[in-house]
Amino acid sequence: MTGPVVAVIGAGGFIGNRLVEMLHLGGAHQVRPIVRRASGLALASRFGIDGRVADALDVPALDAALAGCDVIVHALAGDADTIVRSVPTVYRAAERAGAQRLIYLSSAMVHGQSPPPGCDETTPLSRKQPLRYNRAKVMAEERLFALRRSGTVEAVALRPGIVYGPRSQWIGGLADRLLAGQACLVDGGEGVCNAIYVDNVVDAVIRSFDAPQADGGAFLLGEPEPPTWREFTARVASALGIDMADVPSVGFRQKGPGLKDHIDSLRQSAPVRAALGALPASLARGLAAFWEASGALPASPSPSGPQATLEMAMLHRACQVPSWAKARAMLGYDAPIAPEEGWRRTLAWLAFAGYPTRWVADV
């Protein structure tokens, strides 16, 4: 096979694996999947592709894996530390390999789960966000473009939102929670979901390989007419035969237990209650928290039933999605897979994966 050689770092992950599949089946590129462990090549091995095992922080292994590659896609998932540290390691290895361009798979979460009005690529990024993942992605992009200013490898960052499709944790994880009775919607799930089908992300990645004006740029990605979180959840629930009336709407309180919560947990211990009541409020709060954490006293009771996380609360309360007009103008990206087709494939995968679906061809 001829054509540019494309290395996909993180080829064992959800998006990376789908990119490998589509590049191989498309035939216009040679693709080289790179994974941290040999087991990550399980899906790609059915095509007989020349895969490599290399940790993104292992310089000698990465140099060997990237040798001869023209384009490198950094689609590695990981913890916040790996997200930040892997960018300079991969960029320098790309330089040594003589690669022309590095595509970094970032995230729309650099703008937060509830982006501000009018958000686009010109909106300044901030490290002052409550979620560590968001801060790590911001720092990773900062490092990437700083390296590009003095480096030889062209750099592009792509920012998709909620990427769904076969094998997506946004789908499988939601199905698991629905079946376990642990799914919920914050404030009814009326917030907008910045959903994008995985093949549309792959389309944007491939368009980024040689788009002449893309070097040094970041591009938000999305789809027309994004659903609400209630609509997103209802798609999966319907396929599983679950009534949305059984998915509760919950509120969310970000702050942890206060002094009153700690004191209330001690009400059956009159001597302790009296002792705390005689102390200044700040000292009483600290002692109550310490005794509770030490196990000397029972913890404050936790609410029962499905609970929302901070990330879920911010996502479900989003009022809008960022504009992806720049990707349309400069990459020619236009979300080629329509949402109905994306959902048809996604829900078919649920049935294939063994979930107890009530499959209807027109969902």
Side-chain angles (χ1 to χ4, degrees), residues 166 171-172 175 235-236 239-240 345-357:
I171 299 300
R235 291 274 195 171
V236 180
L240 298 173
R345 298 178 187 181
T346 299
L347 300 181
W349 170 79
L350 276 178
F352 169 80
Y355 284 90
T357 57

Side-chain angles (χ1 to χ4, degrees), residues 6-9 15-16 18-20 22-23 29 31 71-75 101-106 156-160 163 196-211 214 219 221 327 331-334 336:
V6 180
V8 180
I9 299 173
I15 299 175
R18 184 56 177 155
L19 175 60
V20 169
M22 291 183 69
L23 287 174
H29 303 84
V31 59
V71 176
I72 296 164
V73 180
H74 186 337
R101 181 168 286 189
L102 172 63
I103 314 297
Y104 177 62
L105 201 62
S106 185
V156 179
L158 300 179
R159 299 173 180 171
V163 186
I196 177 171
Y197 183 63
V198 61
D199 286 12
N200 287 334
V201 176
V202 170
D203 176 77
V205 172
I206 295 173
R207 289 175 180 276
S208 300
F209 288 171
D210 54 10
F219 297 87
L221 303 176
L331 301 180
Y333 167 78
D334 200 27

Side-chain angles (χ1 to χ4, degrees), residues 72 87 91 99-104 141 143-149 151-158 208 211 213-219:
I72 296 164
V87 168
Y91 188 88
Q100 178 181 351
R101 181 168 286 189
L102 172 63
I103 314 297
Y104 177 62
E141 282 200 27
R143 291 192 174 192
L144 174 67
F145 292 121
L147 287 161
R148 173 61 186 117
R149 286 191 287 273
T152 60
V153 179
E154 297 174 350
V156 179
L158 300 179
S208 300
Q213 302 177 29
D215 179 29
F219 297 87

Side-chain angles (χ1 to χ4, degrees), residues 241-301:
I242 294 173
D243 192 331
M244 283 298 291
D246 296 327
V247 180
S249 175
V250 302
F252 181 80
R253 185 181 69 173
Q254 184 173 346
K255 293 182 179 179
L259 174 61
K260 182 178 183 300
D261 300 295
H262 289 297
I263 296 297
D264 286 347
S265 71
L266 309 176
R267 286 192 181 281
Q268 294 185 352
S269 176
V272 173
R273 186 176 69 247
L276 288 175
L279 296 174
S282 59
L283 181 56
R285 181 172 62 249
L287 283 173
F290 172 76
W291 289 338
E292 186 173 328
S294 71
L297 294 167
S300 301

